[in-house]
């Protein structure tokens, strides 16, 4: 088995069970056993504890379910999951992860775990945080020198957290609000493109040294 996609369906509605609701006992799963050839795993709905899963070749994991942590799947190189439904990022220690996509909605900002561990992931080069990066998480990401691509729509606030992101080449701030400390980006030697479609900040408000890197179209 190389690919496995499990979706829990609500028999009353025919739609995927929402991860935002507390799952019933019959929708709670403890994964165990060896999956020596498994490369891609996706789970939707319910509660999934992957801590006893043994899948050494797993390279892609996606979840829209509740999870206690990323134990058992943190070794994947491409991970996408709902941060507000995950209690911690434990399991990413020493991970070879290259691409991380985490998301949460505006009303869930206070319940999401810390992302400080991202500093300890030397191969992480692509990070997407939606629907909007919180001030707390932004501060925790200060100095992530290995990330080359950051996408976070609807961000509002200071860009000072990008200080030290020496490898950052692409920055997507689509639909962003009022931004400050934009001059921080002038000191990023690898930065070539800043995407700003739908942004509240117009071209003339940006430092002149950055204006040739601004893209206001899709």
């Amino acid at each position: 088995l190389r690919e496995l996609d499990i979706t829990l369906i609500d028999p009353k509605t025919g739609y995927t069970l929402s991860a935002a609701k507390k799952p019933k006992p019959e929708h709670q799963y403890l994964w165990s056993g060896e999956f020596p050839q498994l490369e891609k795993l996706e789970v939707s709905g319910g509660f999934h504890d992957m801590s006893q899963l043994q899948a050494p070749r797993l390279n892609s994991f996606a979840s829209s379910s509740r999870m206690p942590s990323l134990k058992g799947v943190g070794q994947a190189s491409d991970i996408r999951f709902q941060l507000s439904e995950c209690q911690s990022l434990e399991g990413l220690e020493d991970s070879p992860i290259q691409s991380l996509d985490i998301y949460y909605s505006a009303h869930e900002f206070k319940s999401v775990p810390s992302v400080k561990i991202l500093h300890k992931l030397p191969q992480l080069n692509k990070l997407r945080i939606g629907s909007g990066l919180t001030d707390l998480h932004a501060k925790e990401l200060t100095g992530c020198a290995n990330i080359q691509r950051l996408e976070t729509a609807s961000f509002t606030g200071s860009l000072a957290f990008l200080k030290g992101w020496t490898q950052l080449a692409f920055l997507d701030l689509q639909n962003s609000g009022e931004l400050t400390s934009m001059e921080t980006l002038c000191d990023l030697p690898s930065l070539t493109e800043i995407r700003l479609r739908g942004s509240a900040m117009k071209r003339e408000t940006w430092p002149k040294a950055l204006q040739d890197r601004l893209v206001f179209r899709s």
Side-chain angles (χ1 to χ4, degrees), residues 182-187 191 194 203 206-214:
M182 294 178 288
E183 64 278 0
T184 301
L185 307 186
C186 296
D187 297 325
L191 187 60
I194 306 169
R203 186 181 298 273
W206 284 78
K208 290 184 177 180
L210 297 171
Q211 292 187 7
D212 61 341
R213 309 177 210 179
L214 307 181

Side-chain angles (χ1 to χ4, degrees), residues 28-176:
Q28 299 183 30
Y29 300 92
L30 172 61
W31 289 63
S32 62
E34 298 182 7
F35 292 77
Q37 302 299 323
L38 188 63
E39 298 175 357
K40 183 177 181 180
L41 174 61
E42 184 166 351
V43 291
S44 301
F47 175 91
H48 298 268
D49 183 343
M50 305 280 185
S51 59
Q52 297 182 40
L53 177 71
Q54 298 181 48
R57 297 186 62 178
L58 188 69
N59 57 45
S60 177
F61 173 72
S63 170
S64 55
S65 306
R66 290 194 176 195
M67 299 184 299
S69 70
L70 293 176
K71 286 183 176 180
V73 296
Q75 73 276 15
S77 59
D78 186 344
I79 297 178
R80 174 171 53 87
F81 71 103
Q82 195 162 334
L83 185 64
S84 50
E85 302 302 334
C86 188
Q87 298 173 15
S88 82
L89 298 191
E90 189 177 4
L92 284 182
E93 300 88 347
D94 302 317
S95 172
I97 185 172
Q98 298 176 3
S99 176
L100 179 62
D101 189 335
I102 54 181
Y103 52 99
Y104 42 74
S105 58
H107 67 278
E108 299 168 327
F109 285 167
K110 294 182 179 180
S111 62
V112 293
S114 169
V115 296
K116 288 182 179 180
I117 194 173
L118 301 190
H119 281 275
K120 302 178 181 180
L121 305 176
Q123 298 186 52
L124 180 64
N125 57 60
K126 181 179 178 182
L127 176 62
R128 181 181 181 275
I129 298 182
S131 58
L133 179 64
T134 67
D135 289 338
L136 176 59
H137 279 166
K139 292 177 181 178
E140 290 181 345
L141 293 173
T142 301
C144 282
N146 297 312
I147 295 178
Q148 301 171 18
R149 183 184 182 99
L150 174 64
E151 300 178 32
T152 178
S154 305
F155 178 71
T156 298
S158 173
L159 296 176
F161 75 94
L162 291 172
K163 182 178 181 180
W165 287 48
T166 55
Q167 299 300 313
L168 186 66
F170 177 87
L171 176 61
D172 191 333
L173 294 170
Q174 294 189 57
N175 300 313
S176 55

